[in-house]
Amino acid sequence: MSASSLSYAGEVGRKALHLLALSIPFGAWAVGMPTALYLLAPAALVAGAADVTRAYSESVNAVIRGIFGALMRAEELPAPRTGVQFNGATCVLVGAAMMVALFPLRIAVPVLVMAMLADAAAALVGRRWGRHTWGALSATVEGTTAFVVTGLGVMAFFSSVALGPAAGGVLVGAGIEALPLPVNDNIRVPVAAAATVVVGEALVLGRSVSLLPVLSL
């Protein structure tokens, strides 16, 4: 997990929200498609609009800072009129909407749960016990190890994805999470992991996956 401008207590609180956010993938599985996408897409748009609005409105920015500021990183709290910065919660919603639009729920839901819990483990372990970085990267070996162990444990609970492709998705997700890429990890990690699962099922099991369920709406 990379270094953070947030205090460790703030990091714990921020990752606690990941537990609440688990209602997103489980809720999606409960209601199914297309209802899941009909709920997630507008929610992602509203959250994104709030981030755009706070970038230009001092009053909206002050309200958001007052409510959520303690759980937001410094880079998520730019001064008004200095550019749009999407926060982690918005990216969780965007990532979830993309997942249910791109992948069948039997893959999207397990991977989203895995990414949320493994990312939280990587952040908390990496910040508290991380001592060895991956070369020039700020991500730590300890944090990445926590991601992999947690991710494999989570995926083992879901029978809808074969173990081999699931393990491949976890390893790719861990690597993507450690890299300082411009796309938020709440988006890039689950999408990359799910794509790996799809490829793994095709290569290992010869199973074809119907992608882009959004096109069937």
Side-chain angles (χ1 to χ4, degrees):
M1 179 65 189
S2 60
S4 173
S5 56
L6 197 63
S7 68
Y8 190 76
E11 192 73 63
V12 171
R14 183 183 176 98
K15 295 312 177 184
L17 290 179
H18 279 228
L19 298 180
L20 296 177
L22 289 174
S23 62
I24 295 174
F26 285 121
W29 209 338
V31 302
M33 281 286 285
T35 305
L37 188 59
Y38 291 157
L39 293 173
L40 284 170
L45 288 173
V46 169
D51 279 335
V52 173
T53 301
R54 74 185 175 98
Y56 299 99
S57 170
E58 293 185 5
S59 59
V60 173
N61 187 53
V63 170
I64 292 178
R65 279 175 175 265
I67 298 174
F68 302 109
L71 300 178
M72 298 173 73
R73 306 189 197 286
E75 59 270 22
E76 295 175 330
L77 293 168
R81 298 181 178 84
T82 58
V84 177
Q85 178 63 53
F86 296 105
N87 71 74
T90 297
C91 292
V92 166
L93 288 170
V94 171
M98 289 179 62
M99 288 288 287
V100 301
L102 294 172
F103 305 99
L105 289 180
R106 70 169 186 85
I107 293 175
V109 170
V111 170
L112 277 171
V113 174
M114 179 277 293
M116 289 178 179
L117 292 179
D119 175 75
L124 298 179
V125 171
R127 291 200 60 185
R128 177 57 62 92
W129 294 286
R131 299 291 183 271
H132 307 88
T133 60
W134 292 107
L137 300 178
S138 58
T140 66
V141 174
E142 293 83 357
T144 300
T145 300
F147 186 108
V148 172
V149 171
T150 302
L152 291 175
V154 170
M155 293 302 287
F157 280 101
F158 291 93
S159 61
S160 61
V161 180
L163 185 58
V170 171
L171 293 175
V172 168
I176 294 295
E177 192 268 347
L179 294 174
L181 301 176
V183 180
N184 187 276
D185 59 359
N186 292 306
I187 298 174
R188 70 178 190 258
V189 171
V191 170
T196 301
V197 169
V198 170
V199 173
E201 289 192 342
L203 294 178
V204 177
L205 305 177
R207 179 187 296 174
S208 61
V209 178
S210 297
L211 300 178
L212 293 172
V214 66
L215 296 181
S216 64
L217 300 182

PDB file of all heavy atoms in Angstrom, residues 135-171:
ATOM      1  N   GLY A 135      11.071  -1.647  -4.342  1.00  0.00           N
ATOM      2  CA  GLY A 135      12.002  -0.776  -5.056  1.00  0.00           C
ATOM      3  C   GLY A 135      11.687   0.686  -4.821  1.00  0.00           C
ATOM      4  O   GLY A 135      11.580   1.141  -3.683  1.00  0.00           O
ATOM      5  N   ALA A 136      11.485   1.431  -5.912  1.00  0.00           N
ATOM      6  CA  ALA A 136      11.213   2.859  -5.816  1.00  0.00           C
ATOM      7  C   ALA A 136       9.757   3.151  -5.488  1.00  0.00           C
ATOM      8  O   ALA A 136       9.395   4.307  -5.245  1.00  0.00           O
ATOM      9  CB  ALA A 136      11.597   3.542  -7.135  1.00  0.00           C
ATOM     10  N   LEU A 137       8.903   2.131  -5.483  1.00  0.00           N
ATOM     11  CA  LEU A 137       7.492   2.343  -5.189  1.00  0.00           C
ATOM     12  C   LEU A 137       7.293   2.580  -3.696  1.00  0.00           C
ATOM     13  O   LEU A 137       8.077   2.122  -2.872  1.00  0.00           O
ATOM     14  CB  LEU A 137       6.659   1.133  -5.622  1.00  0.00           C
ATOM     15  CG  LEU A 137       6.702   0.753  -7.105  1.00  0.00           C
ATOM     16  CD1 LEU A 137       5.873  -0.500  -7.352  1.00  0.00           C
ATOM     17  CD2 LEU A 137       6.178   1.907  -7.961  1.00  0.00           C
ATOM     18  N   SER A 138       6.239   3.293  -3.345  1.00  0.00           N
ATOM     19  CA  SER A 138       5.931   3.505  -1.932  1.00  0.00           C
ATOM     20  C   SER A 138       5.128   2.347  -1.357  1.00  0.00           C
ATOM     21  O   SER A 138       5.005   2.219  -0.136  1.00  0.00           O
ATOM     22  CB  SER A 138       5.152   4.814  -1.753  1.00  0.00           C
ATOM     23  OG  SER A 138       3.964   4.797  -2.520  1.00  0.00           O
ATOM     24  N   ALA A 139       4.555   1.502  -2.204  1.00  0.00           N
ATOM     25  CA  ALA A 139       3.828   0.327  -1.727  1.00  0.00           C
ATOM     26  C   ALA A 139       4.796  -0.634  -1.053  1.00  0.00           C
ATOM     27  O   ALA A 139       5.955  -0.752  -1.443  1.00  0.00           O
ATOM     28  CB  ALA A 139       3.125  -0.365  -2.887  1.00  0.00           C
ATOM     29  N   THR A 140       4.304  -1.318  -0.018  1.00  0.00           N
ATOM     30  CA  THR A 140       5.169  -2.200   0.753  1.00  0.00           C
ATOM     31  C   THR A 140       4.892  -3.671   0.462  1.00  0.00           C
ATOM     32  O   THR A 140       3.778  -4.048   0.091  1.00  0.00           O
ATOM     33  CB  THR A 140       5.003  -1.961   2.263  1.00  0.00           C
ATOM     34  OG1 THR A 140       3.675  -2.339   2.658  1.00  0.00           O
ATOM     35  CG2 THR A 140       5.243  -0.489   2.610  1.00  0.00           C
ATOM     36  N   VAL A 141       5.918  -4.473   0.687  1.00  0.00           N
ATOM     37  CA  VAL A 141       5.770  -5.929   0.543  1.00  0.00           C
ATOM     38  C   VAL A 141       4.730  -6.445   1.526  1.00  0.00           C
ATOM     39  O   VAL A 141       3.907  -7.305   1.195  1.00  0.00           O
ATOM     40  CB  VAL A 141       7.125  -6.622   0.773  1.00  0.00           C
ATOM     41  CG1 VAL A 141       6.954  -8.138   0.770  1.00  0.00           C
ATOM     42  CG2 VAL A 141       8.146  -6.188  -0.274  1.00  0.00           C
ATOM     43  N   GLU A 142       4.745  -5.908   2.734  1.00  0.00           N
ATOM     44  CA  GLU A 142       3.804  -6.353   3.757  1.00  0.00           C
ATOM     45  C   GLU A 142       2.365  -6.033   3.362  1.00  0.00           C
ATOM     46  O   GLU A 142       1.457  -6.857   3.554  1.00  0.00           O
ATOM     47  CB  GLU A 142       4.138  -5.694   5.103  1.00  0.00           C
ATOM     48  CG  GLU A 142       5.450  -6.130   5.715  1.00  0.00           C
ATOM     49  CD  GLU A 142       6.668  -5.389   5.166  1.00  0.00           C
ATOM     50  OE1 GLU A 142       6.504  -4.543   4.246  1.00  0.00           O
ATOM     51  OE2 GLU A 142       7.782  -5.641   5.652  1.00  0.00           O
ATOM     52  N   GLY A 143       2.151  -4.837   2.822  1.00  0.00           N
ATOM     53  CA  GLY A 143       0.813  -4.460   2.398  1.00  0.00           C
ATOM     54  C   GLY A 143       0.319  -5.315   1.248  1.00  0.00           C
ATOM     55  O   GLY A 143      -0.833  -5.762   1.237  1.00  0.00           O
ATOM     56  N   THR A 144       1.197  -5.558   0.271  1.00  0.00           N
ATOM     57  CA  THR A 144       0.820  -6.398  -0.865  1.00  0.00           C
ATOM     58  C   THR A 144       0.533  -7.827  -0.415  1.00  0.00           C
ATOM     59  O   THR A 144      -0.398  -8.471  -0.906  1.00  0.00           O
ATOM     60  CB  THR A 144       1.938  -6.385  -1.918  1.00  0.00           C
ATOM     61  OG1 THR A 144       2.150  -5.043  -2.370  1.00  0.00           O
ATOM     62  CG2 THR A 144       1.559  -7.255  -3.109  1.00  0.00           C
ATOM     63  N   THR A 145       1.337  -8.323   0.519  1.00  0.00           N
ATOM     64  CA  THR A 145       1.101  -9.670   1.048  1.00  0.00           C
ATOM     65  C   THR A 145      -0.263  -9.752   1.722  1.00  0.00           C
ATOM     66  O   THR A 145      -1.006 -10.730   1.548  1.00  0.00           O
ATOM     67  CB  THR A 145       2.188 -10.052   2.053  1.00  0.00           C
ATOM     68  OG1 THR A 145       3.468 -10.019   1.407  1.00  0.00           O
ATOM     69  CG2 THR A 145       1.952 -11.443   2.624  1.00  0.00           C
ATOM     70  N   ALA A 146      -0.613  -8.720   2.476  1.00  0.00           N
ATOM     71  CA  ALA A 146      -1.933  -8.685   3.120  1.00  0.00           C
ATOM     72  C   ALA A 146      -3.035  -8.685   2.080  1.00  0.00           C
ATOM     73  O   ALA A 146      -4.079  -9.326   2.264  1.00  0.00           O
ATOM     74  CB  ALA A 146      -2.043  -7.459   4.018  1.00  0.00           C
ATOM     75  N   PHE A 147      -2.824  -7.964   0.983  1.00  0.00           N
ATOM     76  CA  PHE A 147      -3.803  -7.948  -0.105  1.00  0.00           C
ATOM     77  C   PHE A 147      -3.997  -9.352  -0.655  1.00  0.00           C
ATOM     78  O   PHE A 147      -5.135  -9.815  -0.812  1.00  0.00           O
ATOM     79  CB  PHE A 147      -3.324  -7.000  -1.212  1.00  0.00           C
ATOM     80  CG  PHE A 147      -4.323  -6.804  -2.324  1.00  0.00           C
ATOM     81  CD1 PHE A 147      -5.005  -5.609  -2.449  1.00  0.00           C
ATOM     82  CD2 PHE A 147      -4.584  -7.800  -3.265  1.00  0.00           C
ATOM     83  CE1 PHE A 147      -5.932  -5.414  -3.474  1.00  0.00           C
ATOM     84  CE2 PHE A 147      -5.502  -7.627  -4.285  1.00  0.00           C
ATOM     85  CZ  PHE A 147      -6.176  -6.428  -4.381  1.00  0.00           C
ATOM     86  N   VAL A 148      -2.900 -10.034  -0.957  1.00  0.00           N
ATOM     87  CA  VAL A 148      -2.984 -11.363  -1.575  1.00  0.00           C
ATOM     88  C   VAL A 148      -3.641 -12.371  -0.630  1.00  0.00           C
ATOM     89  O   VAL A 148      -4.540 -13.124  -1.031  1.00  0.00           O
ATOM     90  CB  VAL A 148      -1.580 -11.851  -1.988  1.00  0.00           C
ATOM     91  CG1 VAL A 148      -1.637 -13.312  -2.440  1.00  0.00           C
ATOM     92  CG2 VAL A 148      -1.023 -10.970  -3.104  1.00  0.00           C
ATOM     93  N   VAL A 149      -3.213 -12.387   0.625  1.00  0.00           N
ATOM     94  CA  VAL A 149      -3.767 -13.350   1.584  1.00  0.00           C
ATOM     95  C   VAL A 149      -5.261 -13.104   1.782  1.00  0.00           C
ATOM     96  O   VAL A 149      -6.078 -14.038   1.756  1.00  0.00           O
ATOM     97  CB  VAL A 149      -3.022 -13.258   2.927  1.00  0.00           C
ATOM     98  CG1 VAL A 149      -3.724 -14.098   3.992  1.00  0.00           C
ATOM     99  CG2 VAL A 149      -1.582 -13.728   2.762  1.00  0.00           C
ATOM    100  N   THR A 150      -5.628 -11.850   1.974  1.00  0.00           N
ATOM    101  CA  THR A 150      -7.039 -11.518   2.167  1.00  0.00           C
ATOM    102  C   THR A 150      -7.843 -11.819   0.906  1.00  0.00           C
ATOM    103  O   THR A 150      -8.937 -12.397   0.967  1.00  0.00           O
ATOM    104  CB  THR A 150      -7.202 -10.035   2.531  1.00  0.00           C
ATOM    105  OG1 THR A 150      -6.456  -9.755   3.718  1.00  0.00           O
ATOM    106  CG2 THR A 150      -8.671  -9.684   2.770  1.00  0.00           C
ATOM    107  N   GLY A 151      -7.288 -11.441  -0.243  1.00  0.00           N
ATOM    108  CA  GLY A 151      -7.992 -11.660  -1.502  1.00  0.00           C
ATOM    109  C   GLY A 151      -8.244 -13.124  -1.784  1.00  0.00           C
ATOM    110  O   GLY A 151      -9.344 -13.520  -2.197  1.00  0.00           O
ATOM    111  N   LEU A 152      -7.242 -13.959  -1.552  1.00  0.00           N
ATOM    112  CA  LEU A 152      -7.416 -15.396  -1.775  1.00  0.00           C
ATOM    113  C   LEU A 152      -8.445 -15.973  -0.811  1.00  0.00           C
ATOM    114  O   LEU A 152      -9.259 -16.829  -1.190  1.00  0.00           O
ATOM    115  CB  LEU A 152      -6.075 -16.109  -1.605  1.00  0.00           C
ATOM    116  CG  LEU A 152      -5.012 -15.834  -2.675  1.00  0.00           C
ATOM    117  CD1 LEU A 152      -3.703 -16.519  -2.307  1.00  0.00           C
ATOM    118  CD2 LEU A 152      -5.487 -16.288  -4.058  1.00  0.00           C
ATOM    119  N   GLY A 153      -8.412 -15.509   0.427  1.00  0.00           N
ATOM    120  CA  GLY A 153      -9.385 -15.987   1.402  1.00  0.00           C
ATOM    121  C   GLY A 153     -10.807 -15.622   1.014  1.00  0.00           C
ATOM    122  O   GLY A 153     -11.723 -16.440   1.138  1.00  0.00           O
ATOM    123  N   VAL A 154     -10.988 -14.408   0.535  1.00  0.00           N
ATOM    124  CA  VAL A 154     -12.326 -13.965   0.120  1.00  0.00           C
ATOM    125  C   VAL A 154     -12.809 -14.769  -1.077  1.00  0.00           C
ATOM    126  O   VAL A 154     -13.938 -15.275  -1.096  1.00  0.00           O
ATOM    127  CB  VAL A 154     -12.315 -12.461  -0.207  1.00  0.00           C
ATOM    128  CG1 VAL A 154     -13.631 -12.048  -0.873  1.00  0.00           C
ATOM    129  CG2 VAL A 154     -12.087 -11.637   1.052  1.00  0.00           C
ATOM    130  N   MET A 155     -11.964 -14.891  -2.094  1.00  0.00           N
ATOM    131  CA  MET A 155     -12.387 -15.573  -3.315  1.00  0.00           C
ATOM    132  C   MET A 155     -12.695 -17.044  -3.065  1.00  0.00           C
ATOM    133  O   MET A 155     -13.510 -17.648  -3.778  1.00  0.00           O
ATOM    134  CB  MET A 155     -11.321 -15.433  -4.404  1.00  0.00           C
ATOM    135  CG  MET A 155     -11.136 -14.003  -4.912  1.00  0.00           C
ATOM    136  SD  MET A 155     -12.642 -13.272  -5.593  1.00  0.00           S
ATOM    137  CE  MET A 155     -12.797 -14.159  -7.144  1.00  0.00           C
ATOM    138  N   ALA A 156     -12.069 -17.635  -2.047  1.00  0.00           N
ATOM    139  CA  ALA A 156     -12.316 -19.045  -1.731  1.00  0.00           C
ATOM    140  C   ALA A 156     -13.742 -19.277  -1.252  1.00  0.00           C
ATOM    141  O   ALA A 156     -14.248 -20.397  -1.318  1.00  0.00           O
ATOM    142  CB  ALA A 156     -11.326 -19.519  -0.673  1.00  0.00           C
ATOM    143  N   PHE A 157     -14.406 -18.225  -0.789  1.00  0.00           N
ATOM    144  CA  PHE A 157     -15.771 -18.363  -0.302  1.00  0.00           C
ATOM    145  C   PHE A 157     -16.812 -18.347  -1.424  1.00  0.00           C
ATOM    146  O   PHE A 157     -17.980 -18.650  -1.193  1.00  0.00           O
ATOM    147  CB  PHE A 157     -16.093 -17.241   0.696  1.00  0.00           C
ATOM    148  CG  PHE A 157     -15.554 -17.495   2.075  1.00  0.00           C
ATOM    149  CD1 PHE A 157     -14.388 -16.874   2.492  1.00  0.00           C
ATOM    150  CD2 PHE A 157     -16.204 -18.349   2.950  1.00  0.00           C
ATOM    151  CE1 PHE A 157     -13.882 -17.104   3.767  1.00  0.00           C
ATOM    152  CE2 PHE A 157     -15.708 -18.581   4.220  1.00  0.00           C
ATOM    153  CZ  PHE A 157     -14.550 -17.964   4.635  1.00  0.00           C
ATOM    154  N   PHE A 158     -16.390 -17.960  -2.625  1.00  0.00           N
ATOM    155  CA  PHE A 158     -17.331 -17.843  -3.734  1.00  0.00           C
ATOM    156  C   PHE A 158     -17.125 -19.004  -4.708  1.00  0.00           C
ATOM    157  O   PHE A 158     -16.063 -19.152  -5.304  1.00  0.00           O
ATOM    158  CB  PHE A 158     -17.139 -16.519  -4.473  1.00  0.00           C
ATOM    159  CG  PHE A 158     -17.553 -15.320  -3.660  1.00  0.00           C
ATOM    160  CD1 PHE A 158     -16.628 -14.634  -2.885  1.00  0.00           C
ATOM    161  CD2 PHE A 158     -18.861 -14.874  -3.680  1.00  0.00           C
ATOM    162  CE1 PHE A 158     -17.003 -13.529  -2.137  1.00  0.00           C
ATOM    163  CE2 PHE A 158     -19.253 -13.769  -2.940  1.00  0.00           C
ATOM    164  CZ  PHE A 158     -18.320 -13.092  -2.162  1.00  0.00           C
ATOM    165  N   SER A 159     -18.153 -19.791  -4.873  1.00  0.00           N
ATOM    166  CA  SER A 159     -18.068 -20.944  -5.774  1.00  0.00           C
ATOM    167  C   SER A 159     -18.359 -20.582  -7.226  1.00  0.00           C
ATOM    168  O   SER A 159     -18.194 -21.414  -8.108  1.00  0.00           O
ATOM    169  CB  SER A 159     -19.052 -22.030  -5.319  1.00  0.00           C
ATOM    170  OG  SER A 159     -20.394 -21.543  -5.355  1.00  0.00           O
ATOM    171  N   SER A 160     -18.778 -19.351  -7.468  1.00  0.00           N
ATOM    172  CA  SER A 160     -19.143 -18.964  -8.836  1.00  0.00           C
ATOM    173  C   SER A 160     -17.930 -18.727  -9.720  1.00  0.00           C
ATOM    174  O   SER A 160     -18.065 -18.613 -10.942  1.00  0.00           O
ATOM    175  CB  SER A 160     -20.009 -17.698  -8.811  1.00  0.00           C
ATOM    176  OG  SER A 160     -19.304 -16.610  -8.230  1.00  0.00           O
ATOM    177  N   VAL A 161     -16.743 -18.636  -9.112  1.00  0.00           N
ATOM    178  CA  VAL A 161     -15.510 -18.424  -9.868  1.00  0.00           C
ATOM    179  C   VAL A 161     -14.540 -19.548  -9.513  1.00  0.00           C
ATOM    180  O   VAL A 161     -14.315 -19.832  -8.328  1.00  0.00           O
ATOM    181  CB  VAL A 161     -14.864 -17.065  -9.546  1.00  0.00           C
ATOM    182  CG1 VAL A 161     -13.577 -16.883 -10.344  1.00  0.00           C
ATOM    183  CG2 VAL A 161     -15.828 -15.927  -9.844  1.00  0.00           C
ATOM    184  N   ALA A 162     -13.963 -20.196 -10.534  1.00  0.00           N
ATOM    185  CA  ALA A 162     -13.009 -21.284 -10.303  1.00  0.00           C
ATOM    186  C   ALA A 162     -11.770 -20.759  -9.575  1.00  0.00           C
ATOM    187  O   ALA A 162     -11.351 -19.609  -9.764  1.00  0.00           O
ATOM    188  CB  ALA A 162     -12.608 -21.917 -11.626  1.00  0.00           C
ATOM    189  N   LEU A 163     -11.186 -21.613  -8.737  1.00  0.00           N
ATOM    190  CA  LEU A 163     -10.088 -21.195  -7.862  1.00  0.00           C
ATOM    191  C   LEU A 163      -8.880 -20.666  -8.633  1.00  0.00           C
ATOM    192  O   LEU A 163      -8.289 -19.657  -8.261  1.00  0.00           O
ATOM    193  CB  LEU A 163      -9.662 -22.357  -6.969  1.00  0.00           C
ATOM    194  CG  LEU A 163      -8.598 -22.032  -5.914  1.00  0.00           C
ATOM    195  CD1 LEU A 163      -9.079 -20.911  -5.000  1.00  0.00           C
ATOM    196  CD2 LEU A 163      -8.248 -23.265  -5.096  1.00  0.00           C
ATOM    197  N   GLY A 164      -8.490 -21.353  -9.720  1.00  0.00           N
ATOM    198  CA  GLY A 164      -7.315 -20.914 -10.474  1.00  0.00           C
ATOM    199  C   GLY A 164      -7.469 -19.521 -11.046  1.00  0.00           C
ATOM    200  O   GLY A 164      -6.641 -18.630 -10.788  1.00  0.00           O
ATOM    201  N   PRO A 165      -8.508 -19.266 -11.849  1.00  0.00           N
ATOM    202  CA  PRO A 165      -8.726 -17.917 -12.354  1.00  0.00           C
ATOM    203  C   PRO A 165      -8.915 -16.891 -11.245  1.00  0.00           C
ATOM    204  O   PRO A 165      -8.462 -15.745 -11.371  1.00  0.00           O
ATOM    205  CB  PRO A 165     -10.002 -18.065 -13.195  1.00  0.00           C
ATOM    206  CG  PRO A 165      -9.983 -19.487 -13.644  1.00  0.00           C
ATOM    207  CD  PRO A 165      -9.417 -20.244 -12.475  1.00  0.00           C
ATOM    208  N   ALA A 166      -9.565 -17.303 -10.147  1.00  0.00           N
ATOM    209  CA  ALA A 166      -9.761 -16.384  -9.026  1.00  0.00           C
ATOM    210  C   ALA A 166      -8.417 -15.974  -8.433  1.00  0.00           C
ATOM    211  O   ALA A 166      -8.181 -14.794  -8.140  1.00  0.00           O
ATOM    212  CB  ALA A 166     -10.627 -17.035  -7.953  1.00  0.00           C
ATOM    213  N   ALA A 167      -7.510 -16.943  -8.254  1.00  0.00           N
ATOM    214  CA  ALA A 167      -6.183 -16.642  -7.715  1.00  0.00           C
ATOM    215  C   ALA A 167      -5.420 -15.712  -8.655  1.00  0.00           C
ATOM    216  O   ALA A 167      -4.735 -14.784  -8.206  1.00  0.00           O
ATOM    217  CB  ALA A 167      -5.407 -17.938  -7.498  1.00  0.00           C
ATOM    218  N   GLY A 168      -5.542 -15.961  -9.957  1.00  0.00           N
ATOM    219  CA  GLY A 168      -4.901 -15.069 -10.918  1.00  0.00           C
ATOM    220  C   GLY A 168      -5.427 -13.648 -10.812  1.00  0.00           C
ATOM    221  O   GLY A 168      -4.658 -12.677 -10.885  1.00  0.00           O
ATOM    222  N   GLY A 169      -6.739 -13.519 -10.618  1.00  0.00           N
ATOM    223  CA  GLY A 169      -7.327 -12.192 -10.462  1.00  0.00           C
ATOM    224  C   GLY A 169      -6.805 -11.478  -9.238  1.00  0.00           C
ATOM    225  O   GLY A 169      -6.533 -10.269  -9.272  1.00  0.00           O
ATOM    226  N   VAL A 170      -6.640 -12.222  -8.141  1.00  0.00           N
ATOM    227  CA  VAL A 170      -6.115 -11.622  -6.911  1.00  0.00           C
ATOM    228  C   VAL A 170      -4.683 -11.138  -7.111  1.00  0.00           C
ATOM    229  O   VAL A 170      -4.322 -10.017  -6.714  1.00  0.00           O
ATOM    230  CB  VAL A 170      -6.172 -12.634  -5.751  1.00  0.00           C
ATOM    231  CG1 VAL A 170      -5.431 -12.096  -4.526  1.00  0.00           C
ATOM    232  CG2 VAL A 170      -7.618 -12.941  -5.390  1.00  0.00           C
ATOM    233  N   LEU A 171      -3.853 -11.961  -7.738  1.00  0.00           N
ATOM    234  CA  LEU A 171      -2.452 -11.578  -7.937  1.00  0.00           C
ATOM    235  C   LEU A 171      -2.329 -10.356  -8.849  1.00  0.00           C
ATOM    236  O   LEU A 171      -1.530  -9.448  -8.587  1.00  0.00           O
ATOM    237  CB  LEU A 171      -1.673 -12.760  -8.522  1.00  0.00           C
ATOM    238  CG  LEU A 171      -1.516 -13.965  -7.593  1.00  0.00           C
ATOM    239  CD1 LEU A 171      -0.830 -15.119  -8.323  1.00  0.00           C
ATOM    240  CD2 LEU A 171      -0.737 -13.585  -6.336  1.00  0.00           C
TER     241      LEU A 171
END
